[in-house]
Amino acid sequence: MRLAFMGSPDFAVPALRALHEAGHEIAAVYCQPPRPAGRGQRETPCPVHRAALELGLPVRTPARLKRDAAEHESFAALNLDAAVVAAYGLILPRAMLDAPRRGCLNIHASLLPRWRGAAPIHAAILAGDAQTGITIMRMEEGLDTGPMLLEQAIPIGPDATVQALHDALAAMGARLILRALEEDPPAIPQPEDGATYAPKLTKQDGRLDWAQAAAALERRVRALNPWPGTFFEHGGEQVRVLAARVEAGTGAPGTLLDDAALVACGAGALRLLRLQRPGRAALDATEFLRGFALPRGAVLG
C-alpha cells in the first residue's frame, strides 16, 4: 500500500518501522522541523526524522500546513492509498485529510472518546484510570473526533509510569495500524457522551500542590516524569521529585513530618523517594538528604 507517514516523537517510531518492515511503500515521511536542543542549541531532527533517514525514506518538514496551498498540492500529488498519523504535531487541513483514497488514519493513545487531545497518556495516569489503550481512527477536522476503526485496551497498574505506559502503547499502536490497513474494518462513530480532553502540558503542571491528596500527587509524579517533571521549591532551589510513595500522616499541607522527607498533604502524606537538584544527579532520598536538609517542621513551597 502506498502511504505517507506523519509523526514526530519517539511514540511514532515503532509504527514507522513496522510499516516499513511490512513492505508498505512509504512515499514520504512528514515530521516537525529540526529545532535547537542541548547545551549547544544545535539544530536537532526529531526521533521520526532520524528513523526515516536511517530507513532511507524521504522526509518533509513543513513548518505549517493550514493555509499552504503548495503543501496541499504536493501532498495530493503523492497519490496515496492512506496516510498514517501518530503524534505529528500539526493540524491537517481538509484538503490533506481528503487526499488519500482511504483517508488519514490516526494512532491515538487512549480509548476514545476519553482523553482526546495532546497528552492522553499523562491524563490517564493523573486521573487514576484503571485502563487506557490505543484507538485507530479515521481523522476529520475535529480534535480526535473521527470514527473509530480498531481499539485495544491495556491495564494501568498502581505503579505504572508514563514512560512504561508510553512504550507499551507505542508498540501496540504499531501492531494495530498494520491490522487496520490489512483488514479495512468498518468505521464506527464515537459515542456522543463521555468525551474528555487532555490539554498540552506546561512546566507549571509539574508543581506539586501539597493541598491535594497524597494519592493524587503520587500519580502526578508517575505521570509527569521525565517531562515536564514534578517539583517543589525550598531553600531558594527548585527540587525535582522523581519517585514517591503514599503513607499515613497528618499536618498542614507542605509540612515535613520527619527528617526523612515525609510531606503532609491535603489528605495523607507523601514520602519522597528520589530527588534531584538543578544541574545535579538524581539521588535516592537517603543520599540526597546528606547534602540538602529537609528538616522536620520545614514547609515546602
Side-chain angles (χ1 to χ4, degrees), residues 12-244:
V13 172
L16 174 61
R17 293 190 181 279
L19 292 166
H20 182 263
E21 290 170 8
H24 291 286
E25 179 187 1
I26 301 176
V29 174
Y30 284 74
C31 54
Q32 292 282 306
R35 292 194 167 90
R39 292 186 178 180
Q41 290 294 285
R42 296 179 59 183
E43 292 286 314
T44 304
C46 68
V48 165
H49 192 155
R50 297 195 298 271
L53 293 178
E54 178 188 327
L55 296 171
L57 300 173
V59 178
R60 300 182 180 183
T61 58
R64 61 188 62 83
L65 294 174
K66 190 172 183 180
R67 294 182 177 86
D68 194 328
E71 284 291 347
H72 303 171
E73 293 171 6
S74 176
F75 185 74
L78 292 172
N79 191 29
L80 301 171
D81 293 308
V84 173
V85 184
Y88 176 32
L90 291 179
I91 295 174
L92 302 188
R94 170 58 62 186
M96 296 180 74
L97 292 172
D98 291 343
R101 283 178 283 279
R102 285 176 56 179
C104 298
L105 308 185
N106 181 241
I107 304 170
H108 186 75
S110 80
L111 301 175
L112 290 170
R114 188 160 177 80
W115 304 129
R116 296 169 177 169
I121 303 175
H122 306 78
I125 296 177
L126 284 170
D129 289 356
Q131 66 174 6
T132 186
I134 289 289
T135 304
I136 306 296
M137 57 169 255
R138 182 171 292 123
M139 297 175 69
E140 56 182 29
E141 288 184 288
L143 178 63
D144 298 328
T145 58
M148 303 179 294
L149 303 177
L150 288 174
E151 198 170 57
Q152 185 174 344
I154 186 174
I156 301 176
D159 300 320
T161 63
V162 71
Q163 190 63 56
L165 198 55
H166 166 282
D167 293 350
L169 290 172
M172 180 185 288
R175 295 191 296 271
L176 281 191
I177 193 60
L178 293 178
R179 277 188 53 200
L181 291 171
E182 180 181 354
E183 299 171 11
D184 194 16
I188 301 172
Q190 291 188 36
E192 294 293 332
D193 299 327
T196 54
Y197 292 87
K200 186 176 181 179
L201 295 167
T202 70
K203 178 66 177 176
Q204 282 305 113
D205 289 315
R207 180 180 289 276
L208 295 172
D209 178 2
W210 303 111
Q212 294 183 7
L217 293 178
E218 189 271 339
R219 291 196 301 270
R220 184 162 293 269
V221 171
R222 288 188 285 114
L224 301 189
N225 282 302
W227 196 91
T230 47
F231 65 91
F232 63 86
E233 292 183 356
H234 186 68
E237 290 192 35
Q238 192 177 93
V239 179
R240 291 189 65 178
V241 179
L242 304 175

Side-chain angles (χ1 to χ4, degrees), residues 257-276:
L257 300 178
D258 62 16
D259 294 319
L262 181 65
V263 190
C265 303
L270 195 68
R271 176 76 66 185
L272 309 183
L273 300 176
R274 191 163 178 81
L275 301 149
Q276 184 177 22

